[in-house]
Amino acid sequence: MTSTHAREHRRSRSLPAVVAAAVAFAVTSTVAPPAAADGEDPVGVLAAPPTYRVYGTREGLVGGTTANGHVITDRDHFAALPSRRALSPKGSGPYTVRVCAPSTSRCAYAPVWDVGPWNTTDDYWNASRQSWTDLPQGRPQAQAAYQHGYNGGKDQFGRTVLNPAGIDLADGTFWDALRLTDNAWVDVTYLWSGSGPRGVVRTGGGPLTVRSGPGTGYSAVGQAGQYSTVVVECTARGTWIDGYLGSTNLWNRIGPGHWVSDAYLSTGTGNPVAAAC
């Protein structure tokens, strides 16, 4: 890709002291999913995708081109992972991540449209990773290099790793969906690794508001970018919405306490694709 190297030079600042102090705590191990909220009973048996706590950085680079050919816009909504094995084609999102920021209690759903940070063959979320196979699953090579001097503290290109980043976030994902103001540790779920019925976020443009319940009266808890592919855990009837895909009162739970209207989720049908919550 054309932007990977430029991105790493731009991000070459050291960690803030408060973040550095948290490094020992934020080891990359599987994070247990939050318990179901009151009134939300588990429905069916879905294979849960892995979740790891990694260091997230803001990509920026507005006007640049991502690895899949997308031209980065102001307040864009996508993510970058350091391996082409999880790169979605332009204008689609078969590889989508859920990113939750403990510091803000907000979550974002974003298609993976770029490759980085630091490395390009580090699919650290896979049990059989492409590179750095001696590292445990879930630990980015950049984190091991930064924290423990792995590979002499350098990335695959021989550059000194100056932060432990395992995911890059476009400005809209970073600022608007997660409401972050600086790079931070985030919990990332690699949604394509799980099972269950799927839907694709279709808004015709900007991000979709994710709510804490099946209606507009529930609080906003994050955003889902256009083309994000999400798992529909269960469904409920709620507020009628006139949206990009039509008019409906059907709502889909796409994560723990995360709801979106079916008027913006393409599932191939206007009927529920999962059991009632």
Side-chain angles (χ1 to χ4, degrees):
M1 65 170 289
T2 58
S3 62
T4 300
H5 289 264
R7 182 187 318 119
E8 307 318 331
H9 287 295
R10 176 190 59 76
R11 285 205 317 267
S12 62
R13 56 181 173 174
S14 60
L15 285 170
V18 65
V19 175
V23 166
F25 164 75
V27 293
T28 45
S29 58
T30 302
V31 178
D38 291 342
E40 290 183 349
D41 296 324
V43 176
V45 178
L46 303 179
T51 297
Y52 295 105
R53 180 161 293 183
V54 301
Y55 194 63
T57 48
R58 184 178 69 84
E59 177 161 338
L61 301 176
V62 174
T65 303
T66 65
N68 73 354
H70 170 74
V71 177
I72 302 173
T73 63
D74 186 43
R75 317 300 274 223
D76 219 334
H77 285 259
F78 66 86
L81 290 174
S83 170
R84 285 184 173 270
R85 287 185 170 183
L87 181 65
S88 295
K90 181 180 177 181
S92 70
Y95 295 101
T96 291
V97 289
R98 178 171 64 232
V99 185
C100 296
S103 60
T104 64
S105 299
R106 298 265 300 183
C107 293
Y109 293 77
V112 180
W113 282 355
D114 208 356
V115 179
W118 295 108
N119 296 300
T120 61
T121 60
D122 185 26
D123 53 335
Y124 60 82
W125 53 89
N126 282 333
S128 300
R129 59 200 291 171
Q130 181 179 3
S131 301
W132 321 110
T133 56
D134 55 325
L135 289 175
Q137 183 180 3
R139 181 170 300 166
Q141 188 275 342
Q143 180 179 342
Y146 181 83
Q147 292 180 343
H148 307 296
Y150 179 85
N151 195 44
K154 300 182 183 300
D155 69 0
Q156 73 183 73
F157 302 106
R159 299 170 298 187
T160 298
V161 175
L162 298 174
N163 65 43
I167 190 170
D168 255 349
L169 303 170
D171 288 356
T173 304
F174 190 94
W175 284 327
D176 302 327
L178 296 177
R179 294 182 181 169
L180 291 172
T181 58
D182 202 355
N183 298 335
W185 294 98
V186 292
D187 294 332
V188 181
T189 304
Y190 309 83
L191 294 175
W192 63 90
S193 300
S195 65
R198 309 276 167 152
V200 179
V201 173
R202 296 302 307 273
T203 65
L208 176 63
T209 297
V210 178
R211 297 192 177 274
S212 62
T216 54
Y218 290 88
S219 60
V221 294
Q223 294 179 337
Q226 168 100 300
Y227 302 119
S228 295
T229 300
V230 299
V231 176
V232 179
E233 297 179 345
C234 58
T235 63
R237 298 292 175 175
T239 306
W240 276 93
I241 299 293
D242 292 319
Y244 184 75
L245 299 173
S247 178
T248 182
N249 68 343
L250 179 63
W251 286 71
N252 303 287
R253 197 177 82 195
I254 61 173
H258 297 165
W259 292 81
V260 296
S261 169
D262 202 65
Y264 294 100
L265 193 68
S266 177
T267 60
T269 176
N271 298 317
V273 295
C277 294

